[in-house]
Amino acid sequence: MAALCPFHLAFPVDDLAAARNFYGNLLGCSEGRSSSEWIDFNFYGHQIVAHLAPDEAGAVPANAVDGHGVPVRHFGVVLPMHDWQVAADKLSAAGVEFIIKPYIRFKGEPGEQATMFFKDPSGNAVEMKAFADINNLFAR
């Protein structure tokens, strides 16, 4: 797989202190620049920016996928399987309420993957997933 360029994603939050605690302390994302209105985080090598916008945070409609209600609007990261398991264990131990608990999706199919969905304190849906073989990331 070719080297990837970092993506940039800006998203609304209703509380910057809660976002700082969640992304910084719980998920381990280092903090970059910030102001009283936004915070940059290093999300596994990608730049995500929590913008204070209380009226925009929290709406999470879902679509049915593999028997689960997958949040339509979400962002996330594809991790190595070991790192995914470490993250799942850490989030579980911290009492994070999962939208979709950690499990293996599409078992026996080319796109088989470990996945989990949870919300940040502002209601933004986050997915972490992993593939036993990263070459199956775009498998049909």
Side-chain angles (χ1 to χ4, degrees), residues 2-139:
L4 297 175
C5 296
F7 68 77
H8 166 84
L9 174 74
F11 58 98
V13 298
D14 57 17
D15 183 328
L16 285 176
R20 180 173 274 126
N21 184 56
F22 184 83
Y23 289 98
N25 294 331
L26 181 60
L27 295 185
C29 300
S30 60
E31 187 174 322
R33 293 171 299 277
S34 66
S35 80
S36 61
E37 300 291 319
W38 52 269
I39 306 168
D40 283 349
F41 292 102
N42 178 345
F43 186 71
Y44 299 92
H46 304 283
Q47 183 190 44
I48 62 172
V49 186
H51 281 270
L52 188 58
D55 294 339
E56 299 293 321
V60 184
N63 280 341
V65 177
D66 195 32
H68 295 278
V70 171
V72 172
R73 188 177 60 160
H74 67 273
F75 67 93
V77 64
V78 179
L79 298 171
M81 190 63 74
H82 175 266
D83 295 349
W84 178 88
Q85 188 62 60
V86 168
D89 293 344
K90 182 177 182 180
L91 292 165
S92 294
V96 169
E97 185 176 331
F98 291 96
I99 299 169
I100 299 174
K101 292 180 181 181
Y103 84 109
I104 304 298
R105 173 192 283 170
F106 307 130
K107 281 187 181 182
E109 297 178 34
E112 182 175 315
Q113 60 193 261
T115 189
M116 62 181 137
F117 285 83
F118 49 93
K119 291 182 184 178
D120 73 7
S122 294
N124 295 297
V126 180
E127 178 182 19
M128 290 185 169
K129 62 170 70 177
F131 291 80
D133 179 355
I134 193 63
N135 292 313
N136 285 331
L137 181 63
F138 297 106

